[in-house]
Amino acid sequence: MARLVVEVLDASDLMPKDGQGSASPYVELVFEVSDPQNLADRTIEVTVYNDKKSGHGHHKNFLGRVRISGVSVATTETQASVQRYPLDKRGMFSHIKGDIALKMFLVNDPSFQFFPPPNKEDRRENNESEVPPLEEINPNNVTSNFGNNYEQQQQQAPPSQSNHQTQQSYPKTEVRADFMKAAPQPAMMMQVPGKKPDYELVETRPPVAAHMGYRKGDTIGSTYDLVEQMHYLYASVVKARDLPVMDITGSLDPYVEVKLGNYKGVTKHLEKNQNPVWNQIFAFSKERLQSNLLEVIVKDKDFGKDDFVGRVMFDLTEVPLRVPPDSPLAPQWYKLEDKKGQRGNRGEIMLAVWMGTQADEAFPEAWHSDAHSISHHNLAHTRSKVYFSPKLYYLRVLVIEAQDLVPSDRGRAPVTQVRVQLGNQMRATRPSPMQTLNPIWNDELMFVASEPFDEFLILTVEDKVGPGRDEILGKMIIPVRELPHRLETAKPPDPRWFNLLRHSHGDEDGEKKEKMKFASKIHLRLCLEAGYHVLDESTHFSSDLQPSSKHLRKAPIGILELGILSAKNLLPMKGKEGRLTDPYCVAKYGNKWIRTRTLLDTLAPKWNEQYTWEVFDPCTVITVGVFDNNHVSGNDAKEQRIGKVRIRLSTLETDRIYSHFYPLLVLTPGGLKKHGELQLAVRFTCTAWVNMVAQYGRPLLPKMHYAQPIPVKHIDWLRHQAMQMVAARLARAEPPLRREVVEYMLDVDIHMFSLRRSKANFFRIMSVLSGISAVCRWFNDVCTWRNPITTCLVHILFLILVCYPELILPTIFLYLFVIGVWNYRFRPRTPPHMDARISHAEHVHPDELDEEFDTFPTSRPNEIVRMRYDRLRSVAGRVQAVVGDLATQGERAQALLSWRDPRATAIFIFLSLVCAVFLYVTPFQVIAVLVGLFMLRHPRFRSKMPSVPVNFFKRLPAKSDMLL
């Protein structure tokens, strides 16, 4: 004997019957199950009514019904999850809509408690902390029927007594009266008021194949071993043939309806086609199976009611199971039946039906029952996709000189410059210092080009006639695909002379241009640099450091596997629309971007998708972002940011699975917010240990960055152009990866000024210097004899090292070894994550946040800008003072031998001569003992005044007195 527990949580988007709002009561119904093994063959029916009191009796309106197969019932409460089911209609003209949230599981323990209603005394004691229950029952009643007889019994009883009738018919049924109250707003459940949210990682151990001991060679753990397996019923509708004509006109507009319970997927209709080809795949989640039969119905599209052509039905118990890496299931021809199950001359349809997992290659392109309410046009925005960034190159342009320029005013010396344009990128050389008809520039410009090279390089020579007036003296256009490539430190291509076309405001015939014998010329050196890595990310968390040319790339050293499992406690991003959140994830590593499928209207999505990348350098970072999809309903609004996670691969142990909940932290104009938690499983597998260890001794960037470094003035501009190019290319994909998503993943605005970041960087420096200051404090305590025992031990160690100087270096390295081994116990056990404390994001002033999120140039009033400018001047003044002090110390050290102070330099060189003679005739051990004992002398032999060398150094001149 077992108990079936049906928890009815809430319903949404119901058809209004009385024009009033509705609450969300929580009802738990318990039924006796005599034989749990036969539960898979039975059907659970849940019917929603509206209880309307009119006159002396009651009248109930039908709001929808859900039929659920017993296969989807969880065996334990821990395995059960809340599922939303769409409400089925009674007929074609029914206006039923909405869905209902249910949680079903079996209980075998007779001592299981079903949360009995609290008594009055307990309710009085907790009255201050508890919300009082509602006085009236919600008019939208929910009844749960088990088997086929319960519906008839329920219809005989008055609707107002449906819950009481349930208790009479089934004595074990208990109503959770403590939950019969209005449901709180979802946003109020995210964070407890007055309590600081948790920003730390939470380690998890999900039931995935890798955690359960399966090896890589096993069939079960061979694919998707970092995520929980999710089973789906796949139906592939390929094509049909010999369909009958249904219209009077002799035409047929066929489409296919794949129906499983209340879920219904529909193909596109093809006009006037008796042999249509659809090639569409439908996927139904096994957790939401509502029927034991799958119906594939062919219909004829019509203005009124669509005509029934034929159908094929499949029993789910006979559907085969396909496990990758098995080959795809071959589709077969099935004869269509009429509504009575008789096969006539109704044509045939080619289908394939199988049970699979998310590892199936049909999973990304399939129509999912999770997105049953999405139109065909917007369905593409919910699917999982893989994107690749365009291959980027640096384009180097060296403008050397020009000859025989022809200005309009020959009596004036021209002031010439060259303007170069590549797509949306435009740069200009500095004006030529020689104001002649043969100017010389020798100026180098750099651009970012991407494959395929379908753009043109446009150069124009301009003469600055006056303020804001430029006259074009010549122009040339070069296809980028014709430019030579340069690999690593090879000799650059030789410069070439190019003819400049004269600029004309009107249209000229091409033949007239070809007949021109005389033309101005320009001397250029052009090449595509394939030996550089084009930076499209910040160097602090770059995911790719490979050169542009594939011939210069090294072999991979490992594999990175990422499992995107689930998220929880997400904030409702569409609360104003009466919906929750449509979340999806984007991950970026190297040139490969991935996008998970979008799960609709949920705050606890479960993706369970796994992806793999090749790793060429362990000192790289993978970035995972979570976004709210605003395009599932056809809107053109921007995707909303939910949060982002970065993981540095070098901080991961090889072959270890890291599965944690990562906090999704977002800094908004209103402050730091936690938008939920993202559950990830990460594993870094090394395939070439020798190459990975050797990688730590190699330069971080390719050789060209050090042999011929790019000028600093170009780096930030080129990085910005590369980011914009990647964002524009991915935005043209289908479905597009939106520009705001790419910019958020690449941190386009990381270079913008932020007082918060400045504080964070300052305290980072102080944290680094704290170790040095701690050593200095320890040495000062030794010298001042604060702990006599420690000082005596240091004296003994010092004398031993002086007597045996060959032990100094071994002792230092042995000490480092011991410290490293000792610190192994305290090594971090979790991957790095966004730290709100280090970022100084927890307690930041609102005005500083407003300044950080301000546009560039600013859009704030003049008074606010003036105040911020004064504050910036104050902060910059302190930074200026610190930099000036550091420069002063360095200039004093240079003044020792520069004779800027003749007396000080004479004293220093005379003392240097005396020290040289003294050190020559005195053994080194004696000198070391004297210096060491002098520094470790007792405090009673010390003076509080500065020492002579310090006083001498501070009196040396610096260049600060030469500043204006």
Side-chain angles (χ1 to χ4, degrees), residues 1 178 227 236 279 417 465 479 497 510 553 638 746 768 901:
M1 180 69 67
D178 56 330
V227 295
S236 175
N279 280 326
Q417 70 173 9
V465 179
W497 286 96
R553 298 182 179 180
K638 290 186 176 181
L746 296 179
V768 171
D901 186 342

Side-chain angles (χ1 to χ4, degrees), residues 802-950:
V802 169
C803 297
Y804 303 96
E806 64 275 6
L807 297 179
I808 295 177
L809 290 179
T811 302
I812 294 175
F813 287 105
L814 180 62
Y815 184 63
L816 296 177
F817 170 77
V818 172
I819 293 178
V821 173
W822 177 262
N823 289 339
Y824 180 76
R825 300 170 52 196
F826 311 103
R827 69 191 186 277
R829 303 301 178 92
T830 59
H833 65 288
M834 302 290 189
D835 197 319
R837 181 181 56 84
I838 294 179
S839 305
H840 281 256
E842 291 185 89
H843 309 288
V844 56
H845 196 274
D847 184 69
E848 296 177 5
L849 285 174
D850 184 72
E851 180 184 21
E852 183 171 347
F853 285 93
D854 191 10
T855 58
F856 185 83
T858 181
S859 58
R860 297 297 183 264
N862 294 335
E863 294 79 9
I864 297 179
V865 176
R866 183 180 294 108
M867 181 271 294
R868 292 176 180 173
Y869 176 67
D870 292 339
R871 181 178 61 190
L872 182 60
R873 290 176 61 190
S874 175
V875 175
R878 292 194 291 269
V879 175
Q880 171 184 296
V882 173
V883 175
D885 292 341
L886 294 176
T888 297
Q889 306 306 321
E891 291 169 353
R892 285 172 178 170
Q894 291 178 347
L896 287 172
L897 298 173
S898 64
W899 292 92
R900 291 198 58 222
D901 186 342
R903 285 165 295 278
T905 303
I907 294 173
F908 179 73
I909 62 175
F910 176 75
L911 292 177
S912 299
L913 178 61
V914 173
C915 291
V917 175
F918 180 75
L919 294 174
Y920 181 75
V921 299
T922 307
F924 173 77
Q925 288 83 352
V926 176
I927 301 298
V929 169
L930 293 177
V931 173
L933 293 179
F934 176 78
M935 296 181 65
L936 298 174
R937 67 191 184 278
H938 198 271
R940 68 177 59 184
F941 302 109
R942 294 177 180 273
S943 174
K944 295 183 178 180
M945 301 300 294
S947 61
V948 174
V950 173

Side-chain angles (χ1 to χ4, degrees), residues 412-663:
R412 184 185 61 83
V415 181
T416 55
Q417 70 173 9
V418 179
R419 190 177 302 276
V420 185
Q421 181 178 356
L422 177 64
N424 296 327
Q425 309 171 64
M426 183 175 293
R427 302 290 299 275
T429 65
R430 58 181 180 271
S432 173
M434 303 173 57
Q435 299 182 3
T436 65
L437 300 180
N438 302 312
I440 298 177
W441 295 281
N442 278 326
D443 204 355
E444 189 174 76
L445 306 176
M446 296 197 71
F447 300 87
V448 179
S450 65
E451 290 185 347
F453 303 116
D454 52 359
E455 294 181 329
F456 293 87
L457 189 68
I458 304 174
L459 291 90
T460 56
V461 181
E462 300 176 350
D463 177 17
K464 291 187 172 295
V465 179
R469 292 180 54 202
D470 297 332
E471 179 187 354
I472 299 178
L473 303 181
K475 185 177 181 180
M476 63 169 296
I477 300 176
I478 304 176
V480 177
R481 66 171 63 93
E482 297 180 2
L483 300 181
H485 287 66
R486 180 192 180 196
L487 299 178
E488 280 196 346
T489 56
K491 181 181 178 182
D494 296 330
R496 294 174 50 194
W497 286 96
F498 295 89
N499 293 331
L500 288 174
L501 300 176
R502 293 183 181 179
H503 179 70
S504 176
H505 296 287
D507 296 334
E508 297 183 2
D509 296 332
E511 298 180 358
K512 197 172 183 181
K513 293 182 180 179
E514 294 178 359
K515 293 180 180 180
M516 292 173 56
K517 297 182 179 180
F518 175 81
S520 303
K521 295 182 179 296
I522 188 170
H523 202 196
L524 304 172
R525 184 169 66 197
L526 307 171
C527 65
L528 287 167
E529 298 282 2
Y532 289 92
H533 167 68
V534 180
L535 298 171
D536 59 347
E537 304 169 282
S538 175
T539 53
H540 301 296
F541 30 83
S542 180
S543 64
D544 185 17
L545 302 170
Q546 292 284 84
S548 301
S549 175
K550 62 180 180 180
H551 303 290
L552 302 176
R553 298 182 179 180
K554 308 297 182 181
I557 61 170
I559 295 175
L560 172 65
E561 296 169 279
L562 173 67
I564 304 176
L565 284 84
S566 62
K568 65 179 183 179
N569 299 334
L570 298 183
L571 293 182
M573 296 294 177
K574 295 183 173 67
K576 296 181 179 180
E577 304 174 11
R579 302 177 64 242
L580 299 179
T581 304
D582 303 323
Y584 68 94
C585 292
V586 175
K588 196 265 183 188
Y589 183 78
N591 65 336
K592 179 180 177 182
W593 300 65
I594 66 95
R595 170 178 176 166
T596 66
R597 70 190 191 280
T598 300
L599 299 182
L600 304 179
D601 203 22
T602 177
L603 301 180
K606 290 186 178 180
W607 292 285
N608 284 313
E609 299 183 24
Q610 183 171 336
Y611 299 92
T612 306
W613 287 268
E614 286 186 333
V615 178
F616 296 88
D617 194 320
C619 302
T620 47
V621 177
I622 182 173
T623 305
V624 184
V626 186
F627 302 89
D628 176 38
N629 196 332
N630 281 327
H631 294 80
V632 293
S633 56
N635 298 331
D636 199 22
K638 290 186 176 181
E639 312 282 55
Q640 297 188 66
R641 306 171 179 177
I642 299 180
K644 181 167 53 180
V645 175
R646 295 195 198 99
I647 302 175
R648 184 171 290 274
L649 271 60
S650 59
T651 61
L652 305 178
E653 299 179 11
T654 55
D655 299 323
R656 177 184 171 184
I657 301 172
Y658 293 85
S659 55
H660 294 82
F661 269 112
Y662 293 80

Side-chain angles (χ1 to χ4, degrees), residues 88-132:
D88 196 11
K89 301 181 180 181
R90 277 181 170 174
M92 174 182 175
F93 298 100
S94 177
H95 297 285
I96 298 303
K97 65 176 182 177
D99 52 23
I100 188 171
L102 302 176
K103 181 179 179 181
M104 297 178 295
F105 56 91
L106 288 175
V107 176
N108 296 316
D109 187 6
S111 62
F112 180 78
Q113 299 294 328
F114 294 103
F115 300 96
N119 54 33
K120 297 181 180 179
E121 296 179 0
D122 296 337
R123 188 168 295 176
R124 290 196 193 100
E125 294 176 358
N126 301 329
N127 192 25
E128 296 179 358
S129 60
E130 248 188 56
V131 179

Side-chain angles (χ1 to χ4, degrees), residues 290-310:
Q290 301 179 359
S291 174
N292 295 329
L293 293 176
L294 174 70
E295 298 182 66
V296 181
I297 307 172
V298 181
K299 292 186 176 182
D300 176 28
K301 188 72 174 178
D302 209 339
F303 292 104
K305 182 179 179 181
D306 297 341
D307 297 327
F308 176 87
V309 178

